[in-house]
Each structure stands twice: as C-alpha cells, then as structure tokens.
Amino acid sequence: PVCRMMAPLRLRESMLLLGGEGATRVNPRQASLTVRSRWYPVPNSTDVTYNFGPAKEKPVFTGKLTLKQGWDKTQYTWKPGGDLAAGQWRAVVRKGGQELGSVDFVVDPAAPLIGKPRE
C-alpha cells in the first residue's frame, strides 16, 4: 500500500445562491440567503461554520455544518429575522476558526426580490 499525505482541505469556490445563480446584490426583504461552497479534496468529515453579517461588523448569525463522507459541496441557508440593512455584507466560511473564504454582496433595495418576500 502507498502511504499518501492527505492534502489540506481547500475551498474551491463559494457563492451566494439566489434564483440558482451566484449573486452579488440582494434585496433587503429577501426571505433567505444560501451560500454554496465547494471543497477539494472531498472531505471525509469536518465542521464548517458559516457567518453572515455586515462587512465591517461582527457576524449577526452563525451556522454550523458537518460535512459527510463524499461531499464536495455544502449549502447553508440563513433566514433573516428582519429586513437586512442596506450596504456591504459578507458571508464567511470557516473551519476550526480559520477563515477559508468569503462571499461579498451588497444589500440594495433596487435589487430584484427572488421568491416570496419575508413575512
């Protein structure tokens, strides 16, 4: 048997999904925001944390995902409790406290609303 060093887990890409596409502008009344991340190599098992918040402030929401054997994609969906503040926002992907990547987006009242607005 050949002994191989395990390659470090890397984030290949992360994108904000709205209407199935990568988005950079978000309506403040959007009912949910989903970040999809792709990993390489395919992780066996690891905890991944997603943080959402205004770009210059502490994240307002943290979600934790456990990857399962054979996954190379993860999706995390956040449902904001109220209208999002206009301006620069960021979703940060972390593993073990280390920031592996982020997705920047702008909350803009002129952006199209995808799906039904939040109640």
Side-chain angles (χ1 to χ4, degrees):
V2 177
C3 183
R4 284 189 309 164
M5 289 289 290
M6 280 300 293
L9 189 64
R10 289 201 320 269
L11 194 63
R12 290 179 83 156
E13 63 176 359
S14 237
M15 68 167 63
L16 190 69
L17 296 182
L18 279 180
E21 299 295 327
T24 55
R25 289 166 66 243
V26 172
N27 189 289
R29 299 196 62 220
Q30 194 67 41
S32 65
L33 296 174
T34 299
V35 170
R36 173 186 287 166
S37 302
R38 293 196 60 156
W39 303 91
Y40 181 83
V42 175
N44 289 331
S45 177
T46 184
D47 285 331
V48 175
T49 305
Y50 288 80
N51 300 135
F52 290 80
K56 293 183 180 174
E57 299 171 28
K58 278 193 157 183
V60 293
F61 178 86
T62 298
K64 195 166 191 183
L65 274 183
T66 300
L67 306 189
K68 298 190 176 117
Q69 177 93 33
W71 284 15
D72 105 303
K73 277 189 230 164
T74 54
Q75 276 186 205
Y76 195 88
T77 299
W78 174 45
K79 296 189 175 179
D83 283 6
L84 301 170
Q88 297 279 342
W89 278 62
R90 176 171 289 162
V92 179
V93 186
R94 287 192 175 88
K95 178 188 180 306
Q98 180 187 6
E99 185 174 320
L100 294 185
S102 61
V103 182
D104 289 304
F105 57 99
V106 176
V107 175
D108 176 1
L113 186 65
I114 309 293
K116 290 184 179 176
R118 203 168 32 253
E119 293 297 320

